[in-house]
Amino acid sequence: MTKKPTTFALRGAVCFSTDSSHLTCLEDAYIVCQNGRTAGVFTELPEQFHGIPCQDFSNCLIIPGMNDLHLHAPQYAFHGMYMDLELLEWLNTVTFPEEARYSDLNYAEKAYSIFADDLKKSATTRASIFGTLHVDATELLMDLMEKTGLKAFIGKINMDRNGSKALQEESAVVSATDTVRWLNDIAGKYENVKPILTPRFTPSCSDELMSRLAEIQRAYCLPVQSHLSENKSEIAWVKELCPNTSFYGEAYDQFGLFGGKTCPTIMAHCVYSSDAELSLMKDRGVFIAHCPQSNTNLSSGIAPVRRYLEEGLHIGLGTDIAGGHSLSMLRAIADAIQVSKLRWRLVDDSQKPLSLEEAFYMATMGGGSFFGKVGTFAEDYEFDALILDDSRLRHPQPLNSRERLERLIYLADDSCIAGKYISGNKIF
Amino acid sequence: MTKKPTTFALRGAVCFSTDSSHLTCLEDAYIVCQNGRTAGVFTELPEQFHGIPCQDFSNCLIIPGMNDLHLHAPQYAFHGMYMDLELLEWLNTVTFPEEARYSDLNYAEKAYSIFADDLKKSATTRASIFGTLHVDATELLMDLMEKTGLKAFIGKINMDRNGSKALQEESAVVSATDTVRWLNDIAGKYENVKPILTPRFTPSCSDELMSRLAEIQRAYCLPVQSHLSENKSEIAWVKELCPNTSFYGEAYDQFGLFGGKTCPTIMAHCVYSSDAELSLMKDRGVFIAHCPQSNTNLSSGIAPVRRYLEEGLHIGLGTDIAGGHSLSMLRAIADAIQVSKLRWRLVDDSQKPLSLEEAFYMATMGGGSFFGKVGTFAEDYEFDALILDDSRLRHPQPLNSRERLERLIYLADDSCIAGKYISGNKIF
């Protein structure tokens, strides 16, 4: 990683969200970074910045970095494979056996190195990542992710029931003890990565474990990530497991693991959240990680994202590797738009499809706000930027920046990601 | 194009369809090509082939070429853009203005050169392509496509109503006369490309034009391509325009432009075909071009492909550039699977999702049969092959050929297309 200068500028075509339905697109602009934060976006460089280093990306598009709110690092080893199953069968026959392999640190190193390399090259600048239940492998993942320069929350998974012989913690006590050991091991160790409490999902965690995790959450002031209302069979199962709750979200909330001021929380999916669940999420400020590709691949359904945006819920996008097969957050934007069109056509024609502006917002500002002032080029926001080179996508006519952005969202592969900055640090 | 030797072999991992629901996958095999056709696939090279040239692709996967049954060459200029519209609005505000530009041969050359280059590099070996209504630009497109070595049907579009001032033929007579001029111009000119009669769709073609096209079809023994039952507003419009018909397909059939022994026909989309329409398509042997990405982007819906397969209809896949944004037929396979899952979950749970085998079959054998004995490595089939290099898609463990195929279908970009053969000719 190159050491950042205090103040510098990037020049190019620039697109960023101003709110959930508007983009600012400039054909030729300067973005100034001061001490890791955006000082401003200017069509001409103001006098006080004359003489600062300026990198010219005139042939490229500069956009905010992408924030992936939900993905599973160990599952990257089988992304794009074994796609013919639904959630619960897929967990038991594909996912759990693969995750069990991360007890072997040699395997973990091989697999996580590929994951970290590929994520570094992708459009993602910040992410909230599930590991496995293994402390050592999770620490290894954190070591590797730290080196990429990407900012990430990373969680050791907790699961003390309904796993497999090879993939389940012995008891709530063991799970909690391992979690504390993990947190103490890594305390103060990293600049870029931070721990996040990660009960896999309600079917994987006994009430006793949830109680112990809640204590740990409070003691260590940890954020939380888990899964919610992804699949109808899963929801029915949670109802059986937690007869005292009236909806899935309460299974987390009853232990204090569902948002609120001291417990920032990401819940992945929310395809079938009830009115009461949504109302509680809104009260608690829970972040929804919308994962359109995963919800398609696992035949889960299509989340009513239009409604979530209209009701002002916190919402970002997740690739959900490996329910989702693509690590690309640009692809996640396109997928979110596409499935919203099918939902409008096939399920509910009162909820119009997402616009490019709205889906882009979710991938940048929407998810970014989980990480602080992140996700746009407004003043004082963390300077996370992607340099996108669309020269390979030839076109017979000049295009404006909005057209170039749309084309990159639908057509870019990693070879278009020409550069990346995070908090002002040049990643490549 | 390299001149083919009479007999040669390729060696590598091999996958190909044996029927609509089965794949043959071999970890290390030889495919022998004799005079442009497959002589056989062997795990050891039989004695009679000892000494023939053999190209070793041991690190690659060798699969049959992909047959794209439906795409619009002029629309490639805006693929991946202007995605927030439905079919009829999109035609009027985006598509027709762009297609009108192909009256300028300089623009056509610039745009079609990009299209031909990119299609050459893609997974597609054969295609059925719409041009524009312009004779000169369509001939230019045919010249450029001829040079790629790809096999293609290419159609000058007919449209004498409901276009725009800039994009509509003056009359049925002019449209028919231009079509004859085009056919005479190109007679005997090409080895790889052939003409296909291309009435845009019923709303674009008057009855008089359809009658004249039917005469041309018979006189020149041409195949036909058009659009069918893509969007509900379109279907309602056709009902108004053709009050004498009981379903959309009859609007073509009443003029003899809907399949049958002497009129091989591709109809794109068939999202909302009625029982009667399907029954007639089956009788007439009409090929369905299923275009899942386009049907998503234009909010058209999801075609009931499971039913089409079960009823034994001819069906292949189309990218439908630029309703679809990706030129990749591998992506079309993944898209077909994905939307079939959403249809199963959201529309009709009696029609189970497509398997990888079924979607792969549609892209290879299903569509291939429109071109003859094309789409698999069975004996005497045209030797169309793709060499897929998956070394860039790193993995911590060895994978078998079926796993590698699935991963490439979900994750490959053009950089994975390492080689291509068509009728035994090496394209690159």
Side-chain angles (χ1 to χ4, degrees):
Chain A
M1 198 190 316
T2 316
K3 190 73 190 156
K4 65 188 168 195
T6 307
T7 305
F8 66 90
L10 307 182
R11 180 182 180 178
V14 175
C15 297
F16 57 97
S17 296
T18 43
D19 61 35
S20 68
S21 54
H22 294 91
L23 274 175
T24 294
C25 295
L26 302 165
E27 300 311 312
D28 181 15
Y30 299 83
I31 316 177
V32 175
C33 170
Q34 270 191 315
N35 300 318
R37 292 179 178 270
T38 299
V41 181
F42 311 99
T43 49
E44 296 197 22
L45 207 57
E47 205 172 313
Q48 81 254 39
F49 297 123
H50 283 188
I52 65 171
C54 177
Q55 179 112 31
D56 194 337
F57 293 113
S58 288
N59 296 323
C60 293
L61 201 65
I62 308 174
I63 64 171
M66 304 274 135
N67 305 296
D68 188 342
L69 283 193
H70 184 63
L71 75 168
H72 295 259
Q75 296 176 20
Y76 192 64
F78 62 85
H79 74 297
M81 292 189 288
Y82 322 123
M83 291 293 210
D84 289 342
L85 302 166
E86 273 192 272
L87 176 65
L88 300 178
E89 196 186 356
W90 175 81
L91 285 174
N92 288 320
T93 61
V94 177
T95 306
F96 290 172
E98 175 64 25
E99 289 194 13
R101 308 181 72 171
Y102 289 76
S103 63
D104 171 359
L105 266 188
N106 286 328
Y107 184 77
E109 179 155 20
K110 208 192 283 188
Y112 280 154
S113 297
I114 296 172
F115 170 77
D117 276 3
D118 285 0
L119 195 63
K120 181 175 175 176
K121 285 182 252 170
S122 79
T124 299
T125 43
R126 295 174 192 249
S128 190
I129 302 172
F130 280 56
T132 61
L133 58 78
H134 312 96
V135 171
D136 292 349
T138 303
E139 293 184 17
L140 175 69
L141 173 62
M142 295 178 89
D143 290 347
L144 291 166
M145 283 304 302
E146 171 74 9
K147 286 184 204 148
T148 64
L150 272 59
K151 304 279 185 188
F153 288 106
I154 295 176
K156 173 211 134 22
I157 281 181
N158 299 98
M159 50 187 297
D160 73 337
R161 65 177 178 183
N162 296 314
S164 66
K165 202 167 174 184
L167 191 78
Q168 184 172 300
E169 292 167 302
E170 268 176 62
S171 66
V173 173
V174 168
S175 180
T177 308
D178 271 6
T179 303
V180 169
R181 173 163 69 88
W182 164 57
L183 293 169
N184 292 340
D185 277 356
I186 60 162
K189 195 174 169 193
Y190 303 115
E191 185 189 347
N192 298 316
V193 300
K194 291 180 185 164
I196 185 166
L197 203 63
T198 307
R200 178 168 213 123
F201 69 153
T202 295
S204 297
C205 300
S206 67
D207 285 3
E208 188 192 342
L209 176 53
M210 288 292 203
S211 299
R212 289 178 184 273
L213 293 180
E215 285 167 27
I216 294 170
Q217 189 276 323
R218 287 190 293 272
Y220 288 81
C221 296
L222 291 176
V224 171
Q225 62 182 351
S226 195
H227 298 90
L228 183 67
S229 298
E230 175 177 3
N231 166 296
K232 287 187 173 173
S233 306
E234 170 212 21
I235 294 168
W237 192 15
V238 171
K239 207 165 183 63
E240 273 175 42
L241 291 166
C242 308
N244 60 320
T245 60
S246 56
F247 53 88
Y248 191 165
E250 275 192 350
Y252 300 108
D253 193 60
Q254 65 185 338
F255 300 103
L257 295 170
F258 200 64
K261 274 192 185 153
T262 58
C263 181
T265 296
I266 298 170
M267 286 287 158
H269 306 305
C270 304
V271 177
Y272 298 104
S273 291
S274 64
D275 290 353
E277 186 162 282
L278 289 178
S279 170
L280 188 63
M281 293 177 80
K282 195 170 174 179
D283 284 354
R284 298 280 196 272
V286 169
F287 277 72
I288 297 169
H290 173 48
C291 305
Q293 190 174 82
S294 169
N295 297 336
T296 299
N297 286 335
L298 296 174
S299 301
S300 300
I302 304 174
V305 172
R306 160 73 47 218
R307 180 174 175 199
Y308 300 166
L309 284 172
E310 279 175 357
E311 297 199 6
L313 285 149
H314 291 299
I315 182 162
L317 296 181
T319 59
D320 192 20
I321 294 292
H325 56 269
S326 170
L327 201 58
S328 167
M329 282 290 289
L330 295 168
R331 171 76 189 260
I333 295 173
D335 288 335
I337 296 168
Q338 290 189 300
V339 300
S340 76
K341 289 174 176 174
L342 291 176
R343 194 177 196 284
W344 174 63
R345 173 61 68 223
L346 302 173
V347 180
D348 181 356
D349 67 5
S350 75
Q351 298 196 325
K352 66 177 182 174
L354 298 178
S355 66
L356 186 75
E357 281 74 6
E358 290 165 326
F360 185 80
Y361 162 86
M362 290 196 290
T364 55
M365 285 183 88
S369 60
F370 189 77
F371 299 87
K373 290 180 84 167
V374 168
T376 188
F377 292 140
E379 203 180 324
D380 203 39
Y381 271 62
E382 301 265 355
F383 189 85
D384 293 2
L386 290 180
I387 315 299
L388 300 179
D389 180 354
D390 54 359
S391 56
R392 206 179 53 79
L393 306 174
R394 288 179 300 160
H395 189 267
Q397 285 288 320
L399 299 172
N400 66 36
S401 56
R402 168 68 168 70
E403 292 166 330
R404 293 168 71 190
L405 176 66
E406 185 172 13
R407 217 159 64 113
L408 280 158
I409 284 169
Y410 281 94
L411 302 173
D413 57 37
D414 278 356
S415 70
C416 299
I417 317 286
K420 195 191 267 194
Y421 293 78
I422 300 175
S423 297
N425 290 310
K426 188 172 168 61
I427 305 301
F428 60 84
Chain B
M1 196 191 314
T2 316
K3 191 72 191 158
K4 65 190 168 194
T6 306
T7 305
F8 65 91
L10 307 182
R11 180 182 181 179
V14 175
C15 296
F16 55 97
S17 295
T18 43
D19 60 37
S20 68
S21 54
H22 294 90
L23 275 174
T24 294
C25 295
L26 302 165
E27 301 310 313
D28 181 14
Y30 299 83
I31 316 175
V32 175
C33 170
Q34 268 190 319
N35 300 319
R37 293 180 176 270
T38 300
V41 181
F42 311 99
T43 50
E44 295 197 22
L45 206 58
E47 206 172 311
Q48 81 255 39
F49 297 123
H50 282 188
I52 66 172
C54 178
Q55 178 112 32
D56 194 338
F57 293 113
S58 288
N59 295 322
C60 293
L61 202 64
I62 307 174
I63 65 171
M66 303 274 136
N67 305 297
D68 188 342
L69 283 193
H70 184 63
L71 74 167
H72 294 259
Q75 297 176 19
Y76 192 64
F78 62 85
H79 74 297
M81 293 189 288
Y82 321 123
M83 291 291 210
D84 289 343
L85 302 167
E86 273 192 89
L87 176 66
L88 300 179
E89 196 187 356
W90 175 81
L91 285 174
N92 289 320
T93 62
V94 178
T95 307
F96 290 172
E98 174 64 25
E99 289 194 12
R101 307 181 72 172
Y102 289 76
S103 62
D104 171 0
L105 267 188
N106 286 328
Y107 184 77
E109 178 154 21
K110 208 192 283 189
Y112 280 153
S113 296
I114 296 172
F115 169 78
D117 276 4
D118 285 2
L119 195 64
K120 181 174 175 175
K121 285 183 251 169
S122 78
T124 298
T125 42
R126 296 176 192 246
S128 191
I129 302 172
F130 280 55
T132 61
L133 58 77
H134 312 95
V135 171
D136 292 349
T138 303
E139 293 183 17
L140 176 69
L141 173 62
M142 294 179 91
D143 291 346
L144 291 166
M145 283 303 302
E146 172 74 10
K147 286 183 203 148
T148 64
L150 272 59
K151 304 278 185 187
F153 288 106
I154 295 176
K156 172 211 136 20
I157 281 182
N158 299 99
M159 51 188 297
D160 71 339
R161 66 176 177 184
N162 296 314
S164 66
K165 201 168 174 183
L167 192 79
Q168 183 171 299
E169 292 167 303
E170 269 176 61
S171 66
V173 173
V174 168
S175 181
T177 308
D178 271 7
T179 303
V180 169
R181 175 162 69 87
W182 165 56
L183 293 169
N184 292 340
D185 276 357
I186 60 162
K189 195 171 167 193
Y190 303 116
E191 185 188 348
N192 298 316
V193 300
K194 291 181 187 164
I196 184 167
L197 203 62
T198 306
R200 178 167 214 124
F201 69 153
T202 296
S204 298
C205 300
S206 67
D207 285 3
E208 188 194 340
L209 176 54
M210 288 292 203
S211 299
R212 288 177 184 273
L213 293 180
E215 285 168 27
I216 294 171
Q217 189 276 323
R218 286 190 294 273
Y220 288 81
C221 296
L222 292 176
V224 171
Q225 62 182 352
S226 196
H227 298 89
L228 183 67
S229 299
E230 174 177 4
N231 166 295
K232 287 186 175 176
S233 307
E234 171 212 21
I235 294 169
W237 193 14
V238 171
K239 208 166 182 58
E240 274 176 42
L241 291 166
C242 308
N244 61 321
T245 60
S246 56
F247 53 87
Y248 192 164
E250 275 191 349
Y252 300 108
D253 193 57
Q254 64 185 340
F255 299 102
L257 296 170
F258 201 64
K261 273 191 186 153
T262 57
C263 180
T265 296
I266 298 170
M267 286 287 157
H269 306 304
C270 305
V271 177
Y272 297 104
S273 291
S274 63
D275 290 353
E277 186 161 282
L278 288 178
S279 170
L280 188 62
M281 293 177 80
K282 196 171 175 178
D283 283 354
R284 299 278 195 273
V286 169
F287 278 72
I288 297 168
H290 173 48
C291 306
Q293 191 174 82
S294 170
N295 297 336
T296 300
N297 286 334
L298 296 174
S299 300
S300 301
I302 304 173
V305 173
R306 159 73 49 220
R307 180 174 176 201
Y308 299 166
L309 284 172
E310 279 175 357
E311 297 199 5
L313 285 148
H314 291 299
I315 183 163
L317 296 181
T319 59
D320 193 21
I321 294 293
H325 56 269
S326 170
L327 201 57
S328 166
M329 282 291 289
L330 295 168
R331 171 77 189 261
I333 295 172
D335 287 335
I337 296 168
Q338 289 189 300
V339 300
S340 76
K341 289 173 175 174
L342 291 176
R343 193 176 196 285
W344 174 63
R345 173 60 69 223
L346 302 173
V347 179
D348 181 356
D349 67 6
S350 74
Q351 297 196 325
K352 66 177 183 178
L354 297 178
S355 65
L356 186 75
E357 281 73 6
E358 290 165 326
F360 185 80
Y361 162 86
M362 289 197 290
T364 54
M365 285 183 87
S369 61
F370 188 76
F371 299 87
K373 292 181 84 166
V374 168
T376 188
F377 293 140
E379 203 180 324
D380 202 39
Y381 271 63
E382 300 265 355
F383 189 84
D384 293 2
L386 291 180
I387 315 299
L388 301 178
D389 180 355
D390 55 359
S391 57
R392 207 178 54 79
L393 307 173
R394 288 178 301 160
H395 189 267
Q397 284 287 322
L399 299 172
N400 66 35
S401 55
R402 169 67 168 72
E403 292 165 329
R404 293 168 70 191
L405 176 66
E406 184 172 13
R407 216 159 65 113
L408 280 158
I409 284 169
Y410 282 94
L411 302 173
D413 57 37
D414 278 357
S415 70
C416 300
I417 317 287
K420 194 191 267 194
Y421 293 77
I422 300 175
S423 296
N425 290 310
K426 187 172 170 62
I427 306 300
F428 60 83

